[in-house]
Amino acid sequence: DVKVTQSSRYLVKRTGEKVFLECVQDMDHENMFWYRQDPGLGLRLIYFSYDVKMKEKGDIPEGYSVSREKKERFSLILESASTNQTSMYLCALSSQVNYGYTFGSGTRLTVV
Amino acid sequence: DQQVKQNSPSLSVQEGRISILNCDYTNSMFDYFLWYKKYPAEGPTFLISISSIKDKNEDGRFTVFLNKSAKHLSLHIVPSQPGDSAVYFCAAVGGSNYKLTFGKGTLLTVNP
């Protein structure tokens, strides 16, 4: 089975801090995604990547950036954390031959 | 513009009865549909999918029905069990894009 590992389950950060959320896969899947989940708003796509060093904006990229220097690792960066970025962050990946996503366990980020 | 809509934020059913979760879509390019299940503090997990060339797909207690003319799909769970209590997300994909579009989710509560 494909494994998607998110480095932290719970994080508490202060307003203005730079925050790094890491996502690592143990397979060779090309497509990786970062979502945030908020009550009543569902899953919203922040950024995604189809390959190393490639990135594309999703629906809500403002306040975020990403990095994909190696195929197995996709990082989400909050340049200056704000309280409205308190959320559950989910990393997902898929292969080119399968539409299904495999999700990580999520990181619950609280910005105070 | 919400391309995948789950109009019921929540649904409550009795154990042993049928649960029916609904999903509507607007994009005619969508040709593959998926349902994901999410427990609190966990990432979503794939449940069942259906291609647009079919109108029904069954897997154990779970059946997905697709009505292309109405741009509507539904997930039936029979019989419902308390362990089915979770948020269910409908998702769709189509064209050359591997990016899933998710609905906002429906919280299913199965009462013992």
Side-chain angles (χ1 to χ4, degrees):
Chain A
D1 281 353
V2 177
K3 190 173 180 182
V4 182
T5 302
Q6 292 186 233
S7 52
S8 304
R9 292 298 299 272
Y10 300 94
L11 273 180
V12 180
K13 296 292 181 179
R14 294 193 181 277
T15 301
E17 275 193 78
K18 190 169 186 176
V19 181
F20 293 85
L21 302 181
E22 303 287 341
C23 177
V24 178
Q25 59 160 313
D26 65 351
M27 297 291 283
D28 203 33
H29 288 356
E30 297 87 358
N31 309 322
M32 297 186 77
F33 308 83
W34 275 106
Y35 286 86
R36 61 179 282 179
Q37 185 205 0
D38 301 286
L41 298 177
L43 296 170
R44 294 183 292 168
L45 181 64
I46 306 170
Y47 265 97
F48 59 105
S49 169
Y50 287 134
D51 206 343
V52 176
K53 297 194 186 293
M54 293 183 67
K55 59 185 179 183
E56 290 194 37
K57 293 180 180 179
D59 302 317
I60 52 163
E62 296 78 18
Y64 303 94
S65 62
V66 290
S67 171
R68 194 166 182 198
E69 296 297 318
K70 294 183 179 180
K71 197 168 190 177
E72 67 269 19
R73 186 180 296 268
F74 190 37
S75 303
L76 179 69
I77 304 158
L78 285 66
E79 297 292 342
S80 177
S82 63
T83 54
N84 63 12
Q85 291 178 311
T86 291
S87 185
M88 166 72 97
Y89 289 88
L90 292 157
C91 175
L93 59 91
S94 72
S95 72
Q96 297 285 10
V97 296
N98 187 327
Y99 289 131
Y101 284 10
T102 300
F103 283 88
S105 299
T107 297
R108 170 69 66 184
L109 172 67
T110 302
V111 182
V112 297
Chain B
D1 178 31
Q2 207 179 338
Q3 298 185 63
V4 177
K5 299 178 184 179
Q6 293 178 256
N7 291 319
S8 298
S10 63
L11 174 68
S12 183
V13 299
Q14 286 299 119
E15 181 177 5
R17 307 293 287 268
I18 185 171
S19 295
I20 300 176
L21 294 93
N22 293 304
C23 179
D24 297 294
Y25 62 97
T26 58
N27 190 336
S28 300
M29 293 296 293
F30 288 149
D31 57 8
Y32 198 79
F33 305 88
L34 306 92
W35 285 94
Y36 284 82
K37 175 180 177 180
K38 185 183 183 300
Y39 293 117
E42 293 183 14
T45 54
F46 170 74
L47 192 57
I48 193 169
S49 63
I50 188 167
S51 165
S52 59
I53 62 173
K54 294 185 174 181
D55 55 17
K56 177 183 174 181
N57 189 26
E58 192 171 352
D59 183 2
R61 296 186 297 114
F62 302 92
T63 302
V64 56
F65 295 92
L66 175 63
N67 183 333
K68 282 180 61 180
S69 60
K71 292 190 174 68
H72 176 84
L73 61 153
S74 60
L75 174 68
H76 292 212
I77 306 173
V78 183
S80 301
Q81 299 173 354
D84 295 329
S85 297
V87 176
Y88 289 79
F89 290 101
C90 172
V93 64
S96 60
N97 192 337
Y98 285 87
K99 182 164 61 83
L100 290 181
T101 300
F102 287 89
K104 292 187 176 181
T106 297
L107 173 63
L108 172 67
T109 303
V110 180
N111 301 302

